[in-house]
Amino acid sequence: MSSSKEKNWDLIVKELPEKLYKINISASTQEKIEKLHQYLNNNPKTNCLYYFNHISYSDPLLVGHIIDKIDPNKTRPIIIPVSYSHTEPKKIKNIPSIAMIKLAGACGVNPFRVIQNYQINNPHFNYDEAMAQKININLFQELKKYKKSELPFALAISPEGHRSDNGILGEAESGMLSIARYIEPVLLVPIAIHYDKKYNRNGTNIGKNVSLEIGKEYLYNNQEKRDIDFYMNRLALALPPQMRGKYNPSNNH
């Protein structure tokens, strides 16, 4: 990371969230932060995949804030898949998403536009399988580059693929597991975001109380046989019960 991008990271990701929000981090999550920090230091070749529930525009900023606490020395460059449809420059409604992506780039984060599975052959989006493959290959080429170099890296992913309409954890897509299989061994870390009062899914929610919790991590390797629900259950367990939706934390093992 260049010195200018490192300064931007420290300002925007490390300092700004604490000025804009009243961030609550529980004692158990603080312990997990310290544990994950030590794990990454002791396992320098292991990649890391942070996955989170998506409820508002500012979620990536808050996730970055937690990542900074886990990896303050920036040992792993960060890649983030972003929605192709939500970053099309000609749509006015995409301005907040595009602004967030520009901020991420200024901080040294590498965004890659992808077409989500639910959008393929969906008349609302008009993307077919061929276009999805053409767009999404860019992300996998970047992952391939890192794999070949044997340099560790991190990804931040919203497995739901889009913001929740009601704050409840939605159905996950299979894309996260496809990536995990491709980059294993990889440590999967669930990050739960929730506000203590009403919030605006289309806004920045500046000044509000927001809790950031880390769920139970999991080391994914080439012997992995679990389905996506196993990982979503771990994310759900870090959320209040009313936000868990279909996912049942009792399925965690």
Side-chain angles (χ1 to χ4, degrees), residues 169-181:
L169 191 60
E171 188 84 20
E173 296 189 353
S174 60
M176 186 179 83
L177 284 190
S178 297
I179 291 175
R181 294 187 188 102

Side-chain angles (χ1 to χ4, degrees), residues 1 22 51 59 71 101 106 116-117 141 185-186 224 230 238:
M1 185 184 295
K22 298 173 183 176
Y51 63 106
D59 295 341
D71 187 18
I101 297 309
Q116 297 101 307
N117 289 340
Q141 286 177 339
V186 56
E224 183 57 50
F230 173 80

Side-chain angles (χ1 to χ4, degrees), residues 29-116:
T29 286
Q30 187 59 51
E31 290 178 3
K32 288 174 183 175
I33 287 172
E34 295 170 5
K35 176 183 174 182
L36 290 167
H37 175 66
Q38 290 300 322
Y39 181 89
L40 295 183
N41 284 344
N42 295 335
N43 297 271
K45 292 187 177 181
T46 300
N47 300 315
C48 199
L49 191 157
Y50 303 94
Y51 63 106
F52 58 96
N53 62 308
H54 197 4
I55 56 176
S56 73
Y57 279 127
S58 56
D59 295 341
L61 179 64
L62 297 171
V63 170
H65 188 63
I66 287 292
I67 293 175
D68 178 75
K69 291 181 178 296
I70 294 171
D71 187 18
N73 297 324
K74 307 174 184 65
T75 62
R76 289 158 172 79
I78 301 170
I79 298 169
I80 54 171
V82 299
S83 172
Y84 187 86
S85 65
H86 293 161
T87 51
E88 289 189 45
K90 294 182 180 181
K91 296 181 178 179
I92 295 177
K93 67 178 182 178
N94 288 345
I95 290 177
S97 295
I98 293 171
M100 187 65 71
I101 297 309
K102 288 183 178 179
L103 276 178
C107 294
V109 175
N110 299 317
F112 283 86
R113 298 175 70 192
V114 297
I115 294 176
Q116 297 101 307

Side-chain angles (χ1 to χ4, degrees), residues 184-227:
E184 57 83 22
V186 56
L187 189 69
L188 276 71
V189 180
I191 299 176
I193 305 168
H194 64 92
Y195 293 88
D196 66 346
K197 295 181 180 179
K198 186 177 180 180
Y199 70 96
N200 182 1
R201 75 181 290 273
N202 296 318
T204 56
N205 297 292
I206 292 174
K208 292 188 178 296
N209 289 305
V210 59
S211 293
L212 304 177
E213 300 290 344
I214 297 177
K216 192 174 182 180
E217 76 282 354
Y218 190 85
L219 182 63
Y220 187 108
N221 58 45
N222 59 10
Q223 302 300 317
E224 183 57 50
K225 299 296 182 182
R226 302 183 187 276
D227 62 19

